């Protein structure tokens, strides 16, 4: 099965290793991975900022790039959620595009969901000595139904123990441009999240979206926490946590 | 109510640093969220009931004119008078006209958010009449110089019992009490006197029942029962959207309302009041009026956020909103705070007056998931953001930034080049620690947190290199 990897613009720029970890996992599950070379951004920043026109342009571009693949998989609940739940809404009044978008949306998955429920991965390459806590990113959780999948996969990692934090499902305060427009409120929300993470005494907080990752890591360090690692679930599963 | 929505950011800033408020918010949130979660488990099919509730409310909105006429007919047949108010001022004028007609001197009020929209209490006082709020929360706010409510169903939620104790001692001239029981007892004693001397009872409405012309009121203190049955005149003031076709359907909504609001299977009191006191009846008002207020509701109905009118004012979206829970209701600056407030306020007072509200959300989706009538709140907030772009209400930096990013992302070659340069610059800015402490242009981010620096090369260049060497 031919899987198109939506790298996501944040992984592309900020943490390329997550993209490679995703490829490693998908290949270990027996998938043929293609990475459409011209992919850039899914259009979510424009969509959430009310710039529908911009968002539609980028959505059309992405659909053309990925529709030849059997599946679209992203190491992000937010970007996969954009394609799966919001693209159809963007093209609601364009029958021809809507058909193409709906067809792609039906084949669009968040990485852990895909690995567990479609590729039915049995074992993962990673190892992790220590305790982790899992943060449920909002779009993954509420748009893509990602809750049990990362936990089931993490349970397959030798040496790893999971300690749940309180309010694991509460937003970390990122919210895209919200974190810039309402920096103070955003930072307070992040602070609450950091406190809940620290209260578990976990060695690392693991999550599935880069926006939340940068936000949580940025706030942890600003409040003087130099030790709690912030890892993408793909890194942990692939054994690429350095 | 006075509009302060344009000061959202400043007010939120103050509230973030208000330690007492922060403590009070945390305390109430735990109660609301936990009790709701337990209460909804009592229902065999909570999700199915939500779907049914959505359908009932949407059917009403789709046929609002018809149901309003049915309601008017049935209420009138029971001896009540139905009055219509297009504006808040008109609603207040109706109340004062009724008071003048029946020579009423003192209003006792149970909770009504619609009357907050029109600042009814002030209008009554300006006309030289007395008004007493009898919902405990509203009473606390009234005697504190009409402090605005900070929550739809728990208006004084921002106050601790110590603050209430000090306030009671000051206003009632009594020794300060410490226990909640004692405080309630004191309020009860003070209010009892007012119940017996009020001649105009004013209430809101949780639901208006079209088939019977009744009003349904849901309370825990029993104050609504007294306000609506002791005085000789009862005035119901509420929004035109509060209609429910039948009692049967109201009971479906009631199952969700109390569970979503306070986590109760049912409230202590549920009053269904139908018409005036009949011959030989002991209880009830001699005159009953319904003031049905538009005040922007038909504007909502005609807009892209019309689904917001399904709202049954349970407050669950506030209780589950991580933004509301950190800044409290006063930050929002008008009657309705939280996610539902950020959707309806711009429609009531004007988009340009409330530019921050629809943007002050991470679109985390928690509100939409708990809404008992399935209002897609995050989608509706986004609709407002789209309207702001269309109406040129966004700052030029933001618009330029988005257009620039889109243009770049549409040109993969240039995008590749720009990101290669960008990540190298940012890596340099991150220094040996690998994090950036201060960001130009987007200081909102770096005031409160670092930005972990990129590793120096983009995925696309690393991937291309790997493919070449393979």
């Amino acid at each position: 099965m031919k899987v198109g990897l939506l790298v996501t613009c944040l992984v592309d720029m900020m943490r390329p290793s997550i993209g490679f970890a995703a490829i490693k996992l998908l290949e270990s599950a027996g998938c043929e991975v293609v990475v459409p070379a011209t992919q850039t951004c899914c259009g979510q920043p424009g969509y959430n900022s009310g710039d529908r026109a911009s968002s539609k342009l980028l959505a059309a571009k992405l659909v053309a790039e990925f529709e030849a693949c059997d599946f679209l998989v992203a190491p992000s609940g937010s970007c996969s959620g954009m394609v799966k739940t919001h693209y159809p809404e963007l093209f609601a009044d364009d029958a021809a595009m809507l058909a193409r978008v709906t067809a792609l949306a039906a084949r669009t998955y968040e990485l852990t969901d895909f690995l567990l429920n479609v590729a039915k991965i049995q074992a993962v390459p990673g190892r992790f000595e220590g305790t982790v806590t899992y943060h449920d990113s909002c779009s993954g959780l509420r748009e893509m139904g990602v809750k049990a999948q990362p936990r089931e996969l993490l349970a397959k990692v030798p040496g790893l123990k999971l300690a749940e934090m309180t309010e694991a499902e509460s937003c970390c305060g990122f919210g895209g441009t919200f974190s810039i427009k309402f920096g103070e409120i955003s930072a307070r929300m992040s602070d609450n999240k950091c406190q809940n993470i620290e209260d578990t005494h976990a060695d690392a907080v693991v999550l599935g979206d880069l926006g939340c990752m940068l936000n949580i890591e940025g706030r942890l360090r600003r409040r003087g926490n130099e030790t709690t690692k912030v890892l993408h679930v793909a890194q942990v599963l692939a054994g690429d946590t350095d | 109510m006075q509009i302060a929505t344009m000061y959202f950011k400043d007010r939120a800033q103050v509230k973030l640093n208000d330690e007492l408020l922060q403590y009070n918010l945390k305390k109430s949130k735990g109660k609301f969220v936990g009790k709701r979660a337990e209460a909804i488990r009592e229902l065999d099919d909570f999700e199915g009931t939500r779907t049914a509730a959505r359908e009932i409310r949407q059917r009403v909105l789709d046929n609002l004119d018809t149901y309003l006429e049915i309601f008017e007919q049935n209420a009138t047949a029971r001896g009540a008078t139905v009055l219509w108010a297009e504006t808040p001022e008109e609603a207040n004028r109706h109340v004062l006209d009724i008071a003048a007609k029946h020579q009423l001197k003192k209003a006792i009020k149970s909770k009504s958010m619609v009357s907050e929209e029109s600042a009814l209490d002030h209008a009554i006082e300006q006309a030289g009449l007395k008004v007493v709020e009898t919902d405990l929360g509203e009473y606390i706010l009234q005697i504190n110089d009409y402090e605005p409510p900070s929550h739809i169903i728990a208006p004084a939620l921002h106050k601790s019992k110590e603050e209430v104790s000090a306030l009671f001692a000051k206003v009632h001239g009594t020794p300060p009490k410490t226990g909640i029981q004692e405080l309630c007892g004191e309020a009860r004693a003070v209010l009892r006197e007012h119940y017996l001397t009020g001649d105009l009872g004013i209430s809101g409405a949780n639901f208006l029942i079209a088939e019977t012309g009744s009003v349904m009121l849901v309370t825990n203190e029993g104050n609504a029962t007294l306000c609506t049955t002791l005085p000789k005149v009862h005035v119901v003031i509420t929004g035109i959207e509060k209609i429910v076709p039948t009692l049967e359907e109201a009971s479906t909504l009631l199952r969700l309302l109390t569970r979503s609001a306070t986590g109760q299977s049912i409230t202590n009191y549920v009053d269904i009041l139908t018409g005036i006191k009949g011959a030989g009846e002991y209880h009830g008002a001699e005159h009953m009026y319904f003031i049905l207020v538009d005040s922007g509701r038909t504007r909502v109905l005609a807009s892209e956020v019309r689904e917001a009118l399904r709202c049954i004012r349970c407050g669950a979206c506030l209780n589950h909103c991580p933004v509301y829970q950190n800044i409290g209701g006063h930050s929002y600056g008008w009657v309705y705070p939280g996610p539902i407030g950020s959707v309806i306020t711009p429609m009531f007072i004007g988009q340009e007056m409330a530019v921050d509200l629809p943007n002050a959300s991470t679109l985390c989706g928690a509100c939409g998931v708990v809404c008992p009538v399935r209002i897609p709140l995050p989608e509706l907030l986004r609709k407002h953001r789209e309207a702001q772009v269309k109406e040129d209400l966004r700052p030029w930096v933001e618009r330029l930034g988005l257009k620039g990013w889109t243009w770049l992302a549409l040109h993969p070659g240039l995008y590749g080049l720009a990101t290669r340069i960008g990540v190298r610059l940012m890596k340099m800015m991150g220094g040996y620690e690998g994090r950036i402490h201060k960001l130009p242009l987007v200081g909102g981010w770096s005031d409160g947190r670092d930005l972990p620096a990129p590793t120096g090369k983009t995925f696309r260049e690393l991937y291309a290199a790997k493919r070449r060497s393979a």
Side-chain angles (χ1 to χ4, degrees):
Chain A
M1 78 191 133
K2 193 166 119 183
V3 171
L5 180 70
L6 173 60
V7 178
T8 79
C9 57
L10 279 177
V11 166
D12 180 33
M13 290 186 278
M14 305 301 286
R15 292 289 180 269
S17 62
I18 295 168
F20 289 107
I23 293 174
K24 184 172 167 185
L25 289 164
L26 289 164
E27 286 179 346
S28 81
C31 305
E32 179 203 340
V33 181
V34 294
V35 184
T38 55
Q39 63 174 295
T40 53
C41 163
C42 68
Q44 191 179 172
Y47 184 64
N48 282 346
S49 302
D51 187 350
R52 225 178 143 81
S54 295
S55 187
K56 275 175 95 159
L57 291 172
L58 289 173
K61 172 176 168 294
L62 186 144
V63 172
E65 287 160 346
F66 282 86
E67 62 191 343
C69 303
D70 298 328
F71 296 98
L72 181 158
V73 174
S76 158
S78 159
C79 306
S80 58
M82 178 69 198
V83 176
K84 197 174 182 78
T85 66
H86 300 303
Y87 275 17
E89 194 267 319
L90 269 178
F91 295 101
D93 53 3
D94 178 346
M97 258 318 273
L98 184 61
R100 290 171 59 196
V101 164
T102 314
L104 181 64
R107 293 177 279 130
T108 295
Y109 288 86
E110 183 273 344
L111 178 67
T112 61
D113 187 27
F114 183 82
L115 289 172
L116 191 78
N117 294 323
V118 182
K120 307 213 185 291
I121 198 169
Q122 296 300 319
V124 294
R127 270 199 76 79
F128 188 90
E129 289 305 327
T131 306
V132 306
T133 188
Y134 194 85
H135 163 67
D136 295 294
S137 293
C138 298
S139 308
L141 177 71
R142 299 188 186 92
E143 289 177 0
M144 302 299 283
V146 174
K147 175 78 187 176
Q149 301 89 324
R151 289 171 174 79
E152 279 188 44
L153 291 175
L154 287 171
K156 295 180 192 288
V157 176
L160 181 144
K161 284 185 289 296
L162 180 72
E164 293 286 356
M165 69 177 104
T166 50
E167 298 185 342
E169 296 184 0
S170 280
C171 179
C172 72
F174 174 59
T177 53
F178 172 86
S179 58
I180 299 161
K181 291 177 192 161
F182 300 92
E184 306 271 0
I185 303 173
S186 167
R188 177 61 60 81
M189 290 162 70
S190 315
D191 225 29
N192 298 343
K193 180 56 70 177
C194 290
Q195 190 60 52
N196 287 330
I197 292 166
E198 287 173 357
D199 287 347
T200 65
H201 303 290
D203 301 300
V205 53
V206 179
L207 34 66
D209 252 297
L210 205 58
C212 318
M213 222 179 132
L214 296 172
N215 180 43
I216 291 173
E217 185 175 337
R219 184 64 202 171
L220 277 172
R221 301 301 173 251
R222 180 63 63 90
R223 52 189 254 148
N225 179 325
E226 299 288 338
T227 51
T228 309
K229 288 183 187 167
V230 183
L231 300 169
H232 193 282
V233 64
Q235 296 174 294
V236 179
L237 298 175
D240 173 25
T241 56
D242 299 323
Chain B
M1 188 194 279
Q2 211 157 29
I3 297 168
T5 43
M6 53 292 236
Y7 310 118
F8 173 82
K9 274 190 186 174
D10 295 337
R11 291 163 76 97
Q13 178 63 41
V14 171
K15 300 297 177 188
L16 281 171
N17 296 316
D18 182 339
E19 279 178 34
L20 186 59
L21 173 75
Q22 292 296 322
Y23 174 80
N24 294 341
L25 282 170
K26 275 206 181 68
K27 222 169 127 180
S28 66
K29 175 193 170 194
K31 276 189 208 155
F32 278 135
V33 171
K35 285 172 76 178
R36 172 193 171 273
E38 271 175 46
I40 64 170
R41 276 197 290 273
E42 299 170 348
L43 296 180
D44 293 335
D45 184 6
F46 174 65
E47 293 303 327
T49 314
R50 279 178 84 206
T51 304
R54 176 200 190 283
E55 188 278 325
I56 293 167
R57 293 293 296 141
Q58 191 56 45
R59 179 156 38 86
V60 167
L61 298 181
D62 292 344
N63 306 281
L64 190 57
D65 48 350
T66 309
Y67 284 117
L68 281 168
E69 281 177 8
I70 297 173
F71 174 82
E72 182 181 31
Q73 219 167 31
N74 290 322
T76 309
R78 302 287 191 137
T81 306
V82 178
L83 303 169
W84 305 90
E86 208 174 316
T87 62
E89 295 75 28
E90 209 178 329
N92 289 353
R93 208 157 49 238
H94 280 315
V95 175
L96 297 179
D97 288 348
I98 294 166
K101 182 179 168 194
H102 296 284
Q103 297 179 320
L104 308 172
K105 297 274 176 277
K106 179 172 172 179
I108 48 173
K109 251 182 102 208
S110 76
K111 201 165 158 6
S112 154
M113 291 304 278
V114 176
S115 73
E116 300 281 349
E117 291 175 33
S118 64
L120 176 60
D121 288 11
H122 290 293
I124 293 175
E125 288 185 344
Q126 270 168 14
L129 310 181
K130 276 210 170 77
V131 55
V132 180
E133 292 286 347
T134 63
D135 171 90
L136 182 55
E138 293 286 357
Y139 175 71
I140 291 167
L141 299 182
Q142 183 184 26
I143 62 170
N144 197 30
D145 288 333
Y146 280 110
E147 197 183 350
S150 70
H151 190 285
I152 294 174
I153 64 156
L157 167 135
H158 56 283
K159 286 212 159 347
S160 65
K161 73 167 191 284
E162 288 74 23
E163 290 172 278
V164 174
S165 171
L167 180 67
F168 276 14
K170 191 179 94 184
V171 175
H172 297 156
T174 50
K177 314 274 188 303
T178 48
I180 286 177
Q181 291 272 352
E182 287 175 289
L183 287 166
C184 288
E186 182 165 321
R188 175 178 277 185
V190 172
L191 288 172
R192 181 74 40 170
E193 186 56 34
H194 293 304
Y195 289 127
L196 298 173
T197 51
D199 46 17
L200 167 60
I202 300 176
S203 76
N206 289 99
F207 303 114
L208 298 174
I209 319 292
E211 68 171 349
T212 56
S214 317
V215 54
M216 184 185 275
L217 294 170
V218 173
T219 70
N220 277 317
E221 296 160 23
N223 61 311
T225 315
L226 295 171
C227 284
T228 56
T229 54
L230 289 179
K232 66 174 182 178
V233 180
H234 173 200
V235 173
V236 180
I237 176 165
T238 193
I240 51 171
E241 85 285 13
K242 284 291 180 73
I243 295 263
V244 177
T246 63
L247 278 168
E248 183 71 35
E249 286 163 313
S251 75
T252 300
L253 294 171
L254 186 60
R255 300 177 86 198
L256 292 179
L257 173 60
T258 58
R259 288 183 172 86
S260 301
T262 49
Q264 291 170 288
S265 311
I266 193 156
T267 41
N268 295 345
Y269 298 86
V270 176
D271 292 283
I272 301 172
L273 298 145
T274 311
I276 53 170
K277 180 160 70 176
E281 283 181 1
Y282 270 133
H283 299 293
E286 292 164 32
H287 306 278
M288 186 182 200
Y289 293 90
F290 288 93
I291 301 174
L292 303 187
V293 184
D294 180 344
S295 263
R297 284 161 177 81
T298 47
R299 205 153 50 234
V300 180
L301 196 60
S303 76
E304 286 202 295
V305 299
R306 68 184 65 86
E307 289 179 89
L309 284 185
R310 290 205 296 265
C311 179
I312 56 173
R313 303 282 189 268
C314 69
C317 62
L318 283 61
N319 300 336
H320 291 78
C321 174
V323 174
Y324 175 93
Q325 288 303 331
N326 278 299
I327 62 174
H330 286 159
S331 302
Y332 293 81
W334 200 57
V335 179
Y336 304 102
I340 185 66
S342 296
V343 171
I344 61 177
T345 303
M347 300 306 298
F348 284 17
I349 66 170
Q351 190 74 255
E352 69 290 346
M353 296 289 284
V355 174
D356 277 336
L357 297 188
N359 292 292
S361 161
T362 60
L363 302 179
C364 80
C367 50
V369 173
V370 296
C371 176
V373 287
R374 296 193 188 278
I375 300 171
L377 289 157
E379 311 304 319
L380 302 188
L381 290 170
R382 206 182 274 114
K383 290 286 174 212
H384 276 311
R385 296 181 185 187
E386 287 173 10
Q388 290 188 7
V389 168
K390 271 190 211 134
E391 292 167 31
D392 274 345
L393 290 168
R394 300 308 309 160
W396 67 269
V397 185
E398 181 185 321
R399 282 185 294 178
L400 196 68
L402 278 170
K403 290 286 176 221
W405 171 254
T406 305
W407 185 84
L408 196 62
L410 285 168
H411 297 83
L414 282 169
Y415 173 94
L417 184 66
T419 50
R420 279 172 80 138
I421 298 169
V423 298
R424 282 166 173 79
L425 277 173
M426 284 167 76
K427 183 179 192 305
M428 275 167 51
M429 286 168 71
Y432 70 97
E433 280 184 319
R435 59 184 95 131
I436 302 166
H437 300 294
K438 196 148 185 59
L439 285 164
L441 296 173
V442 289
W445 174 286
S446 56
D447 288 345
R449 80 216 92 182
D450 296 339
L451 180 69
T455 40
K457 285 187 177 171
T458 64
F459 175 88
R460 52 167 61 217
E461 62 176 311
L462 292 167
Y463 186 73
K466 210 169 165 180
R467 298 272 288 194
R468 274 196 301 275
S469 65

